[in-house]
Amino acid sequence: MAAVLMLRGSARLLYKHRKVHAASLPMVCSRTMASKTPVGFIGLGNMGNPMAKNLVKHGYPVVAYDVFPEAGKEFQDSGAQVMDSPADVAEKADRIITMLPSSPNAVEVYTGVNGILKKVKKGSLLIDSSTIDPAISKELAKAVEKMGAVFMDAPVSGGVGAARAGNLTFMVGGVEQEFDAAKELLTCMGSNVVYCGEVGTGQAAKICNNMLLAISMIGTAEAMNLGIRFGLDPKLLAKILNMSSGRCWSSDTYNPVPGVMEGVPSANNYQGGFGTTLMAKDLGLAQITATNTKTPVPLGSLAHQIYRIMCAKGYALKDFSAVFQFLREEENL
């Protein structure tokens, strides 16, 4: 492998270039933890905010952008650079992480008029931690490749609590030879970083996970509601479920019933956490993937409809565990 000297400002940084699996693919720079060169972060929402903060905690200078200026204010107050556009972030950093709500947002941030690709540097590593259509991830990868950079999809699981604690799980798709470069940054924000395969496989894994999560949350809400209607104490019922075969993450870590657990959205009128709109969006992606692969997902389809109805009935901005509240209200109709 050949060593290449690159100039960044007045400093000379030595990067090792690695050959990837095909001659047409760009080569990205390998960096050591000691370099601590600036890292771009685009999307400072409920998840992106704590993720970017964990990069700062690990000593990385963060160059940030969010479509809502107020989202970047606290980073600016702490000394981080807040830019006016994704393109400006790309001009300042050759490693960029994006955390965006949907496929259209990702397309705009990467390929829009002021998108990353307008000023991306050759050899840059672009990591998208949004949950989007795997087909869109593949299209973005091709567009990035044409600019001489590398794109990897790395959606996350774990929710806002794990984002704050730095315990997220990253599911990574892309060129395997670049996985270590991506992992260097992702381990600052997560405790599990798993290579899944080519671009799009990270998204596929995340979509499968969220479909199962939605189904299990609805099942937990139904079981808890049924037990309460029978006269069982909800805390007692949750305890029994969590020491029995019905135990799942939705019951023992993120219980949807108010008063059963502290520090979860159900204890705060379903504020914060993972929004119902986002869950409906992810279930929609699962439906598209199921159709494209001719895969039967009857429970996933039903879960999708339930969350779409919730969005239409005023639950859009509440955490997806509000399905318990939705069921309680519907039974009174």
Side-chain angles (χ1 to χ4, degrees):
M1 293 186 284
V4 180
L5 286 174
M6 298 182 67
L7 289 174
R8 280 182 65 82
S10 61
R12 290 181 179 272
L13 301 175
L14 182 62
Y15 298 133
K16 292 187 297 182
H17 280 259
R18 300 182 305 282
K19 187 175 181 181
V20 295
H21 64 84
S24 62
L25 289 174
M27 302 174 78
V28 105
C29 303
S30 174
R31 302 161 180 84
T32 64
M33 287 291 288
S35 66
K36 300 296 185 185
T37 55
V39 175
F41 203 104
I42 299 173
L44 301 171
N46 287 341
M47 294 291 291
N49 182 299
M51 289 168 67
K53 284 180 178 177
N54 280 325
L55 283 172
V56 173
K57 288 177 183 177
H58 280 80
Y60 286 95
V62 170
V63 181
Y65 169 78
D66 192 277
V67 68
F68 299 106
E70 60 272 20
K73 189 176 185 305
E74 62 180 291
F75 287 95
Q76 201 165 27
D77 292 344
S78 66
Q81 294 185 71
V82 177
M83 311 308 293
D84 295 326
S85 71
D88 292 340
V89 173
E91 189 174 34
K92 293 283 187 179
D94 58 13
R95 291 178 292 179
I96 301 172
I97 297 167
T98 53
M99 189 64 175
L100 306 162
S102 66
S103 296
N105 297 125
V107 171
E108 178 65 21
V109 162
Y110 279 90
T111 66
V113 175
N114 293 308
I116 291 171
L117 298 188
K118 292 298 180 181
K119 295 184 180 179
V120 69
K121 301 174 184 179
K122 289 186 182 299
S124 291
L125 176 60
L126 310 179
I127 303 171
D128 183 36
S129 287
S130 318
T131 300
I132 62 175
D133 187 339
I136 298 296
S137 291
K138 292 179 180 180
E139 290 177 10
L140 291 177
K142 290 177 181 177
V144 169
E145 179 185 329
K146 289 178 181 178
M147 301 303 293
V150 167
F151 176 92
M152 303 188 86
D153 61 304
V156 305
S157 177
V160 174
R164 289 175 182 151
N167 291 330
L168 292 168
T169 292
F170 287 88
M171 293 151 271
V172 185
V175 180
E176 188 172 7
Q177 290 88 336
E178 305 303 338
F179 177 61
D180 286 343
K183 188 175 182 179
E184 174 192 316
L185 297 177
L186 300 181
T187 50
C188 296
M189 302 174 285
S191 55
N192 299 297
V193 182
V194 183
Y195 180 69
C196 299
E198 63 182 18
V199 169
T201 56
Q203 296 294 351
K206 173 61 186 295
I207 289 169
C208 291
N209 178 79
N210 275 22
M211 185 177 74
L212 178 58
L213 173 60
I215 293 168
S216 69
M217 181 57 76
I218 294 169
T220 298
E222 288 186 356
M224 292 293 297
N225 190 36
L226 178 62
I228 292 169
R229 289 295 297 270
F230 267 123
L232 289 170
D233 176 78
K235 286 188 175 181
L236 174 64
L237 177 57
K239 180 179 179 180
I240 292 170
L241 292 177
N242 294 335
M243 62 174 62
S244 304
S245 56
R247 176 180 175 270
C248 63
W249 187 86
S250 295
S251 67
D252 73 357
T253 303
Y254 211 81
N255 199 284
V257 180
V260 170
M261 297 182 67
E262 296 181 359
V264 294
S266 61
N268 187 35
N269 194 29
Y270 300 101
Q271 299 303 305
F274 186 65
T276 295
T277 298
L278 293 176
M279 180 55 85
K281 181 264 295 183
D282 288 358
L283 288 167
L285 294 176
Q287 293 304 295
I288 292 170
T289 303
T291 299
N292 291 340
T293 58
K294 299 180 180 179
T295 305
V297 287
L299 291 182
S301 296
L302 182 57
H304 184 214
Q305 293 305 314
I306 289 172
Y307 278 102
R308 288 185 63 191
I309 293 170
M310 286 177 64
C311 288
K313 293 201 170 187
Y315 291 85
L317 300 180
K318 290 193 174 187
D319 180 76
F320 80 105
S321 62
V323 65
F324 173 79
Q325 187 181 60
F326 170 72
L327 291 172
R328 297 280 285 184
E329 292 183 358
E330 288 299 298
E331 71 187 14
N332 294 322
L333 294 178

